[in-house]
Amino acid sequence: MNPVMSRGKRFPGWLVPTLYIVFVMLPIYWLLSMSFKTTNEILGSFSLWPQKFTVANYQKILYRSHLVQWLH
Amino acid sequence: MNKIHSRKAWLLVIPVVVLVAFNALIPLMTVVNYSVQETFGDNVFFWQGVTWFEQVLRSERFHDAFLRQLAFTGTILLIEVPLGVAVALSMPRKGPWVSVCLVLMALPLLIPWNVVGAMWNIFALPETGLLGHSINALGIDYNFTRQPVAAWLTTVLMDVWHWTSLVVLLAYAGLCAIPDAYYQAARIDGANAWAVFRYIQLPKMKRVLTIAILLRFMDSFMIYTEPFVLTGGGPGNTTTFLSIDLVKIALGQFDLGPAAAMSLIYFLVVLLLCWIFYSVMMRNEAQ
Protein backbone atom coordinates (compact mmCIF):
# COMPACT_ATOMS: atom_id res chain seq x y z
CA MET A 1 0.00 0.00 0.00
CA ASN A 2 0.96 3.56 -0.42
CA PRO A 3 2.74 4.87 2.66
CA VAL A 4 1.22 8.31 2.34
CA MET A 5 -2.12 6.73 3.18
CA SER A 6 -0.71 5.53 6.50
CA ARG A 7 -0.49 9.15 7.62
CA GLY A 8 -4.25 8.91 7.84
CA LYS A 9 -3.97 7.97 11.51
CA ARG A 10 -3.08 11.57 12.35
CA PHE A 11 -4.66 13.38 9.45
CA PRO A 12 -7.49 12.07 7.27
CA GLY A 13 -6.11 11.75 3.74
CA TRP A 14 -9.44 12.36 2.02
CA LEU A 15 -9.68 15.82 3.54
CA VAL A 16 -7.27 17.58 1.13
CA PRO A 17 -8.94 16.43 -2.13
CA THR A 18 -12.38 17.01 -0.63
CA LEU A 19 -11.58 20.59 0.39
CA TYR A 20 -10.02 21.17 -3.01
CA ILE A 21 -13.10 19.86 -4.82
CA VAL A 22 -15.34 22.08 -2.67
CA PHE A 23 -13.17 25.05 -3.70
CA VAL A 24 -13.44 24.00 -7.36
CA MET A 25 -17.21 23.55 -7.22
CA LEU A 26 -18.12 26.80 -5.38
CA PRO A 27 -17.84 29.24 -8.33
CA ILE A 28 -19.46 26.66 -10.61
CA TYR A 29 -22.36 26.33 -8.15
CA TRP A 30 -22.67 30.10 -8.02
CA LEU A 31 -22.83 30.32 -11.82
CA LEU A 32 -25.45 27.57 -11.95
CA SER A 33 -27.60 29.02 -9.18
CA MET A 34 -27.44 32.45 -10.77
CA SER A 35 -28.64 31.07 -14.08
CA PHE A 36 -31.93 30.22 -12.34
CA LYS A 37 -32.32 33.58 -10.58
CA THR A 38 -34.15 36.64 -11.83
CA THR A 39 -32.03 39.67 -12.74
CA ASN A 40 -33.47 41.55 -9.77
CA GLU A 41 -32.42 38.85 -7.39
CA ILE A 42 -28.87 38.67 -8.82
CA LEU A 43 -28.24 42.41 -8.64
CA GLY A 44 -30.48 43.39 -5.76
CA SER A 45 -29.86 40.93 -2.97
CA PHE A 46 -27.70 38.11 -1.68
CA SER A 47 -29.23 34.63 -1.65
CA LEU A 48 -27.51 31.27 -1.46
CA TRP A 49 -30.02 29.62 -3.77
CA PRO A 50 -32.71 30.95 -6.16
CA GLN A 51 -35.67 32.29 -4.14
CA LYS A 52 -37.85 32.53 -7.24
CA PHE A 53 -36.75 29.65 -9.43
CA THR A 54 -36.94 30.62 -13.10
CA VAL A 55 -35.85 29.27 -16.47
CA ALA A 56 -36.55 32.59 -18.20
CA ASN A 57 -32.79 33.20 -18.64
CA TYR A 58 -32.43 30.00 -20.64
CA GLN A 59 -35.49 30.80 -22.76
CA LYS A 60 -34.12 34.24 -23.48
CA ILE A 61 -30.70 32.96 -24.54
CA LEU A 62 -32.08 30.15 -26.67
CA TYR A 63 -34.66 32.31 -28.46
CA ARG A 64 -32.71 35.50 -28.81
CA SER A 65 -29.79 33.69 -30.38
CA HIS A 66 -32.15 31.95 -32.83
CA LEU A 67 -30.66 28.64 -31.74
CA VAL A 68 -34.09 27.04 -31.56
CA GLN A 69 -35.02 28.33 -35.00
CA TRP A 70 -31.86 26.78 -36.40
CA LEU A 71 -32.67 23.48 -34.83
CA HIS A 72 -36.07 23.30 -36.53
CA MET B 1 26.51 -1.98 -48.81
CA ASN B 2 26.53 1.54 -50.12
CA LYS B 3 23.97 3.98 -48.85
CA ILE B 4 22.18 5.79 -51.59
CA HIS B 5 22.07 9.51 -51.00
CA SER B 6 19.21 11.26 -52.64
CA ARG B 7 18.51 14.95 -52.33
CA LYS B 8 14.96 14.33 -53.46
CA ALA B 9 14.07 13.56 -49.84
CA TRP B 10 14.14 17.29 -49.20
CA LEU B 11 11.03 17.58 -51.36
CA LEU B 12 9.11 15.76 -48.64
CA VAL B 13 9.91 18.56 -46.20
CA ILE B 14 8.37 21.25 -48.40
CA PRO B 15 4.77 20.93 -47.09
CA VAL B 16 5.99 21.42 -43.51
CA VAL B 17 8.15 24.39 -44.49
CA VAL B 18 5.22 26.03 -46.30
CA LEU B 19 2.91 25.42 -43.32
CA VAL B 20 5.37 26.82 -40.79
CA ALA B 21 6.11 29.77 -43.05
CA PHE B 22 2.46 30.69 -43.29
CA ASN B 23 1.46 30.22 -39.67
CA ALA B 24 4.65 31.37 -37.93
CA LEU B 25 7.37 33.02 -39.96
CA ILE B 26 5.36 35.39 -42.14
CA PRO B 27 3.22 36.78 -39.27
CA LEU B 28 6.38 37.13 -37.17
CA MET B 29 8.14 39.01 -39.96
CA THR B 30 5.19 41.43 -40.14
CA VAL B 31 5.77 42.26 -36.49
CA VAL B 32 9.50 42.63 -37.13
CA ASN B 33 8.65 44.95 -40.00
CA TYR B 34 6.52 47.19 -37.82
CA SER B 35 9.07 47.20 -35.01
CA VAL B 36 11.76 49.00 -37.02
CA GLN B 37 9.58 51.40 -39.00
CA GLU B 38 7.16 54.23 -38.49
CA THR B 39 3.97 54.35 -40.49
CA PHE B 40 1.28 56.98 -40.89
CA GLY B 41 -1.01 54.68 -42.85
CA ASP B 42 -1.40 54.29 -46.63
CA ASN B 43 1.37 51.69 -46.56
CA VAL B 44 4.05 54.39 -46.28
CA PHE B 45 6.90 53.37 -43.98
CA PHE B 46 9.90 55.26 -42.59
CA TRP B 47 12.96 53.47 -41.28
CA GLN B 48 13.40 53.90 -37.53
CA GLY B 49 16.11 51.41 -36.59
CA VAL B 50 16.07 50.45 -32.94
CA THR B 51 14.24 53.57 -31.71
CA TRP B 52 11.13 51.68 -30.63
CA PHE B 53 13.14 49.03 -28.83
CA GLU B 54 15.05 51.70 -26.95
CA GLN B 55 11.84 53.52 -26.11
CA VAL B 56 10.15 50.39 -24.78
CA LEU B 57 13.16 49.18 -22.80
CA ARG B 58 13.59 52.62 -21.19
CA SER B 59 9.90 53.21 -20.41
CA GLU B 60 8.81 53.02 -16.79
CA ARG B 61 5.48 51.63 -17.89
CA PHE B 62 7.10 48.55 -19.44
CA HIS B 63 9.27 47.99 -16.35
CA ASP B 64 6.22 48.16 -14.08
CA ALA B 65 4.16 45.79 -16.24
CA PHE B 66 7.12 43.42 -16.43
CA LEU B 67 7.64 43.37 -12.66
CA ARG B 68 3.91 42.90 -12.11
CA GLN B 69 4.00 40.00 -14.54
CA LEU B 70 6.97 38.38 -12.78
CA ALA B 71 5.31 38.82 -9.38
CA PHE B 72 2.07 37.30 -10.65
CA THR B 73 3.74 34.33 -12.34
CA GLY B 74 5.96 33.72 -9.30
CA THR B 75 3.01 33.86 -6.91
CA ILE B 76 0.80 31.48 -8.84
CA LEU B 77 3.68 29.01 -9.38
CA LEU B 78 4.49 29.07 -5.64
CA ILE B 79 0.84 28.29 -4.82
CA GLU B 80 -0.22 26.00 -7.66
CA VAL B 81 2.73 23.61 -7.73
CA PRO B 82 2.87 22.70 -3.99
CA LEU B 83 -0.93 22.66 -3.75
CA GLY B 84 -1.25 20.49 -6.86
CA VAL B 85 1.37 18.03 -5.57
CA ALA B 86 -0.30 17.92 -2.12
CA VAL B 87 -3.72 17.18 -3.63
CA ALA B 88 -2.25 14.54 -5.97
CA LEU B 89 -0.43 12.85 -3.06
CA SER B 90 -3.58 12.57 -0.95
CA MET B 91 -5.84 11.40 -3.77
CA PRO B 92 -6.99 7.74 -3.74
CA ARG B 93 -5.02 5.42 -6.05
CA LYS B 94 -7.72 2.82 -6.57
CA GLY B 95 -11.47 2.46 -6.34
CA PRO B 96 -14.52 4.36 -7.58
CA TRP B 97 -13.48 7.68 -6.04
CA VAL B 98 -10.56 8.03 -8.46
CA SER B 99 -12.75 8.88 -11.44
CA VAL B 100 -15.08 11.06 -9.34
CA CYS B 101 -12.09 13.11 -8.13
CA LEU B 102 -10.55 13.35 -11.59
CA VAL B 103 -13.75 14.45 -13.32
CA LEU B 104 -14.67 17.05 -10.70
CA MET B 105 -11.13 18.42 -10.58
CA ALA B 106 -10.87 18.61 -14.37
CA LEU B 107 -14.02 20.80 -14.61
CA PRO B 108 -12.22 24.18 -14.44
CA LEU B 109 -9.92 23.10 -17.26
CA LEU B 110 -12.94 22.73 -19.54
CA ILE B 111 -14.29 26.23 -18.98
CA PRO B 112 -13.36 28.90 -21.56
CA TRP B 113 -11.10 31.71 -20.33
CA ASN B 114 -13.61 34.53 -20.75
CA VAL B 115 -16.28 32.53 -18.89
CA VAL B 116 -13.80 32.00 -16.04
CA GLY B 117 -13.22 35.76 -15.88
CA ALA B 118 -16.94 36.60 -15.96
CA MET B 119 -17.74 33.84 -13.46
CA TRP B 120 -15.15 35.07 -10.95
CA ASN B 121 -16.28 38.63 -11.44
CA ILE B 122 -19.83 37.82 -10.32
CA PHE B 123 -18.59 35.33 -7.71
CA ALA B 124 -16.40 38.01 -6.10
CA LEU B 125 -18.82 40.97 -6.28
CA PRO B 126 -18.60 42.63 -2.86
CA GLU B 127 -22.31 42.67 -2.09
CA THR B 128 -24.05 40.04 -4.15
CA GLY B 129 -21.30 37.53 -4.98
CA LEU B 130 -20.73 34.52 -2.75
CA LEU B 131 -17.00 35.18 -2.19
CA GLY B 132 -17.25 38.96 -1.81
CA HIS B 133 -20.31 38.75 0.45
CA SER B 134 -18.70 36.09 2.68
CA ILE B 135 -15.46 38.05 3.10
CA ASN B 136 -17.35 41.24 3.91
CA ALA B 137 -19.57 39.31 6.33
CA LEU B 138 -16.40 38.32 8.21
CA GLY B 139 -15.78 42.01 8.82
CA ILE B 140 -13.01 42.41 6.25
CA ASP B 141 -13.50 45.29 3.87
CA TYR B 142 -13.23 43.74 0.41
CA ASN B 143 -13.95 45.26 -2.98
CA PHE B 144 -11.91 44.02 -5.91
CA THR B 145 -12.99 46.82 -8.22
CA ARG B 146 -11.53 49.49 -5.92
CA GLN B 147 -8.76 47.98 -3.77
CA PRO B 148 -5.52 47.00 -5.53
CA VAL B 149 -4.71 44.29 -2.95
CA ALA B 150 -8.17 42.75 -3.27
CA ALA B 151 -7.97 42.86 -7.08
CA TRP B 152 -4.58 41.20 -6.98
CA LEU B 153 -5.70 38.46 -4.56
CA THR B 154 -8.85 37.77 -6.57
CA THR B 155 -6.82 37.43 -9.79
CA VAL B 156 -4.36 35.04 -8.11
CA LEU B 157 -7.21 33.00 -6.58
CA MET B 158 -8.93 32.81 -9.96
CA ASP B 159 -5.78 31.49 -11.62
CA VAL B 160 -5.24 28.99 -8.80
CA TRP B 161 -8.83 27.85 -9.25
CA HIS B 162 -8.49 27.54 -13.00
CA TRP B 163 -5.11 25.82 -13.30
CA THR B 164 -4.15 23.93 -10.13
CA SER B 165 -6.08 20.95 -11.53
CA LEU B 166 -3.61 20.73 -14.40
CA VAL B 167 -0.74 20.33 -11.92
CA VAL B 168 -2.83 17.80 -9.96
CA LEU B 169 -3.53 15.70 -13.06
CA LEU B 170 0.11 15.71 -14.19
CA ALA B 171 1.49 14.98 -10.70
CA TYR B 172 -1.09 12.24 -10.21
CA ALA B 173 -0.08 10.62 -13.51
CA GLY B 174 3.54 10.73 -12.34
CA LEU B 175 2.63 9.13 -9.01
CA CYS B 176 0.60 6.36 -10.64
CA ALA B 177 3.62 5.41 -12.75
CA ILE B 178 5.68 4.45 -9.67
CA PRO B 179 5.81 0.65 -9.32
CA ASP B 180 4.70 -0.85 -5.99
CA ALA B 181 8.15 -2.42 -5.57
CA TYR B 182 9.58 0.99 -4.63
CA TYR B 183 7.09 1.36 -1.78
CA GLN B 184 7.73 -2.19 -0.59
CA ALA B 185 11.48 -1.54 -0.53
CA ALA B 186 10.89 1.69 1.38
CA ARG B 187 8.75 -0.14 3.95
CA ILE B 188 11.41 -2.81 4.45
CA ASP B 189 13.95 -0.03 5.04
CA GLY B 190 11.58 1.57 7.53
CA ALA B 191 11.35 4.85 5.62
CA ASN B 192 8.86 7.39 6.94
CA ALA B 193 6.36 9.27 4.77
CA TRP B 194 8.70 12.25 4.30
CA ALA B 195 11.58 10.02 3.15
CA VAL B 196 9.28 8.22 0.72
CA PHE B 197 8.18 11.57 -0.69
CA ARG B 198 11.68 13.04 -0.88
CA TYR B 199 13.55 10.03 -2.29
CA ILE B 200 10.92 8.11 -4.26
CA GLN B 201 7.87 10.18 -5.19
CA LEU B 202 9.53 13.54 -5.87
CA PRO B 203 12.34 12.17 -8.10
CA LYS B 204 9.82 10.04 -10.00
CA MET B 205 7.49 13.00 -10.50
CA LYS B 206 10.30 15.28 -11.64
CA ARG B 207 9.71 14.95 -15.37
CA VAL B 208 5.96 15.60 -15.23
CA LEU B 209 6.51 18.44 -12.75
CA THR B 210 9.02 20.03 -15.13
CA ILE B 211 6.37 19.97 -17.85
CA ALA B 212 3.72 21.25 -15.41
CA ILE B 213 5.88 24.17 -14.26
CA LEU B 214 6.89 25.00 -17.83
CA LEU B 215 3.26 24.98 -19.02
CA ARG B 216 2.06 27.04 -16.06
CA PHE B 217 4.95 29.46 -16.48
CA MET B 218 4.27 30.07 -20.17
CA ASP B 219 0.51 30.27 -19.76
CA SER B 220 0.57 32.64 -16.79
CA PHE B 221 3.25 34.80 -18.39
CA MET B 222 0.99 35.30 -21.40
CA ILE B 223 -2.27 35.59 -19.43
CA TYR B 224 -4.73 38.02 -20.97
CA THR B 225 -8.41 37.09 -21.06
CA GLU B 226 -9.07 36.22 -17.43
CA PRO B 227 -7.70 39.37 -15.75
CA PHE B 228 -9.05 41.47 -18.63
CA VAL B 229 -12.58 40.22 -17.98
CA LEU B 230 -12.23 40.17 -14.18
CA THR B 231 -10.64 43.55 -13.50
CA GLY B 232 -9.89 45.09 -16.91
CA GLY B 233 -6.34 45.69 -15.67
CA GLY B 234 -7.47 47.92 -12.80
CA PRO B 235 -7.96 49.49 -10.37
CA GLY B 236 -5.51 51.92 -11.95
CA ASN B 237 -2.86 49.75 -13.51
CA THR B 238 -2.46 47.30 -10.65
CA THR B 239 -3.45 44.19 -12.58
CA THR B 240 -2.25 45.34 -16.02
CA PHE B 241 0.02 42.47 -17.00
CA LEU B 242 2.30 42.47 -20.04
CA SER B 243 -0.24 41.24 -22.59
CA ILE B 244 -2.95 43.62 -21.37
CA ASP B 245 -0.48 46.50 -21.58
CA LEU B 246 0.53 45.38 -25.05
CA VAL B 247 -3.06 45.44 -26.28
CA LYS B 248 -3.57 48.87 -24.70
CA ILE B 249 -0.56 50.20 -26.62
CA ALA B 250 -1.37 48.44 -29.90
CA LEU B 251 -5.16 48.82 -30.13
CA GLY B 252 -5.92 51.50 -27.55
CA GLN B 253 -3.28 54.04 -28.54
CA PHE B 254 -2.58 52.55 -31.97
CA ASP B 255 1.18 52.89 -31.42
CA LEU B 256 2.02 50.02 -33.73
CA GLY B 257 5.81 50.52 -33.75
CA PRO B 258 6.34 50.45 -29.97
CA ALA B 259 3.76 47.66 -29.69
CA ALA B 260 5.62 45.55 -32.25
CA ALA B 261 8.94 46.19 -30.49
CA MET B 262 7.35 45.30 -27.16
CA SER B 263 5.86 42.08 -28.48
CA LEU B 264 9.24 41.01 -29.84
CA ILE B 265 10.91 41.76 -26.49
CA TYR B 266 8.07 39.91 -24.74
CA PHE B 267 8.51 36.91 -27.06
CA LEU B 268 12.29 36.83 -26.51
CA VAL B 269 11.85 37.05 -22.73
CA VAL B 270 9.45 34.08 -22.71
CA LEU B 271 11.77 32.11 -24.98
CA LEU B 272 14.83 32.95 -22.88
CA LEU B 273 13.19 32.10 -19.54
CA CYS B 274 11.84 28.79 -20.90
CA TRP B 275 15.24 27.90 -22.28
CA ILE B 276 17.01 28.71 -18.97
CA PHE B 277 14.42 26.78 -16.99
CA TYR B 278 14.49 23.78 -19.29
CA SER B 279 18.28 23.53 -19.45
CA VAL B 280 18.61 23.87 -15.65
CA MET B 281 16.04 21.11 -15.10
CA MET B 282 17.65 18.84 -17.71
CA ARG B 283 21.14 19.41 -16.30
CA ASN B 284 19.92 18.35 -12.86
CA GLU B 285 18.45 15.28 -14.46
CA ALA B 286 21.76 14.33 -16.07
CA GLN B 287 23.60 14.41 -12.74
Side-chain angles (χ1 to χ4, degrees):
Chain A
M1 278 307 282
N2 170 5
V4 180
M5 302 278 198
S6 67
R7 275 193 304 183
K9 281 159 205 154
R10 280 179 290 129
F11 181 76
W14 51 266
L15 197 65
V16 179
T18 311
L19 286 176
Y20 180 66
I21 287 174
V22 169
F23 168 61
V24 164
M25 296 312 289
L26 272 177
I28 297 177
Y29 164 73
W30 199 245
L31 192 68
L32 193 70
S33 96
M34 197 152 46
S35 74
F36 295 113
K37 288 178 183 175
T38 59
T39 312
N40 273 343
E41 194 180 338
I42 296 171
L43 296 176
S45 61
F46 176 78
S47 51
L48 282 176
W49 51 84
Q51 303 293 322
K52 272 193 217 153
F53 189 89
T54 170
V55 289
N57 298 324
Y58 287 93
Q59 280 172 352
K60 203 172 177 180
I61 287 295
L62 290 175
Y63 282 99
R64 199 165 59 181
S65 66
H66 304 284
L67 187 71
V68 178
Q69 278 97 316
W70 288 339
L71 291 175
H72 276 294
Chain B
M1 209 170 82
N2 281 331
K3 278 186 191 163
I4 301 162
H5 289 279
S6 167
R7 290 184 198 283
K8 280 178 190 157
W10 285 103
L11 286 175
L12 297 174
V13 189
I14 287 178
V16 177
V17 172
V18 171
L19 200 70
V20 171
F22 270 94
N23 72 21
L25 295 179
I26 293 173
L28 188 69
M29 283 318 292
T30 317
V31 178
V32 173
N33 220 7
Y34 273 105
S35 74
V36 289
Q37 297 181 87
E38 167 80 288
T39 176
F40 300 107
D42 292 337
N43 234 0
V44 184
F45 288 94
F46 301 94
W47 176 254
Q48 284 287 338
V50 293
T51 323
W52 301 138
F53 288 91
E54 247 185 296
Q55 187 187 320
V56 169
L57 285 173
R58 289 218 173 115
S59 82
E60 199 117 306
R61 180 173 165 179
F62 178 73
H63 298 167
D64 289 349
F66 189 67
L67 287 179
R68 238 175 265 136
Q69 185 68 64
L70 280 181
F72 177 75
T73 299
T75 315
I76 64 110
L77 280 178
L78 280 177
I79 299 172
E80 285 175 16
V81 175
L83 181 66
V85 171
V87 172
L89 280 173
S90 49
M91 257 170 75
R93 295 291 146 72
K94 300 183 178 101
W97 290 107
V98 174
S99 34
V100 175
C101 282
L102 288 178
V103 168
L104 290 180
M105 284 177 188
L107 274 181
L109 302 176
L110 306 175
I111 299 178
W113 283 260
N114 52 351
V115 177
V116 170
M119 189 169 159
W120 272 81
N121 189 314
I122 50 179
F123 183 59
L125 281 178
E127 270 143 35
T128 53
L130 183 60
L131 179 73
H133 186 89
S134 311
I135 294 176
N136 278 313
L138 290 172
I140 303 162
D141 186 31
Y142 167 89
N143 186 338
F144 76 94
T145 54
R146 291 214 200 100
Q147 300 153 341
V149 178
W152 189 270
L153 287 179
T154 314
T155 313
V156 167
L157 198 63
M158 173 180 69
D159 199 79
V160 167
W161 178 86
H162 197 180
W163 292 109
T164 304
S165 297
L166 181 76
V167 184
V168 173
L169 295 186
L170 286 168
Y172 187 71
L175 282 175
C176 286
I178 304 175
D180 269 349
Y182 282 85
Y183 292 121
Q184 286 159 8
R187 209 165 38 188
I188 291 167
D189 287 344
N192 59 12
W194 167 251
V196 169
F197 174 69
R198 173 67 187 80
Y199 296 106
I200 297 175
Q201 289 168 326
L202 198 57
K204 284 280 170 189
M205 275 194 293
K206 201 165 154 189
R207 271 172 176 275
V208 281
L209 281 184
T210 307
I211 297 299
I213 296 172
L214 203 61
L215 282 177
R216 281 317 300 132
F217 165 75
M218 290 192 307
D219 259 4
S220 66
F221 212 79
M222 299 186 281
I223 193 167
Y224 176 76
T225 317
E226 293 151 283
F228 180 74
V229 176
L230 181 71
T231 62
N237 275 331
T238 43
T239 51
T240 301
F241 301 120
L242 278 178
S243 55
I244 296 182
D245 206 28
L246 181 61
V247 172
K248 276 184 184 170
I249 294 175
L251 302 180
Q253 300 163 216
F254 223 70
D255 284 337
L256 293 180
M262 183 175 162
S263 45
L264 282 179
I265 294 167
Y266 192 1
F267 170 60
L268 290 178
V269 167
V270 173
L271 204 64
L272 182 73
L273 288 174
C274 283
W275 177 72
I276 292 174
F277 175 77
Y278 191 75
S279 44
V280 166
M281 293 305 277
M282 286 300 119
R283 192 195 292 152
N284 285 342
E285 185 122 319
Q287 282 173 355

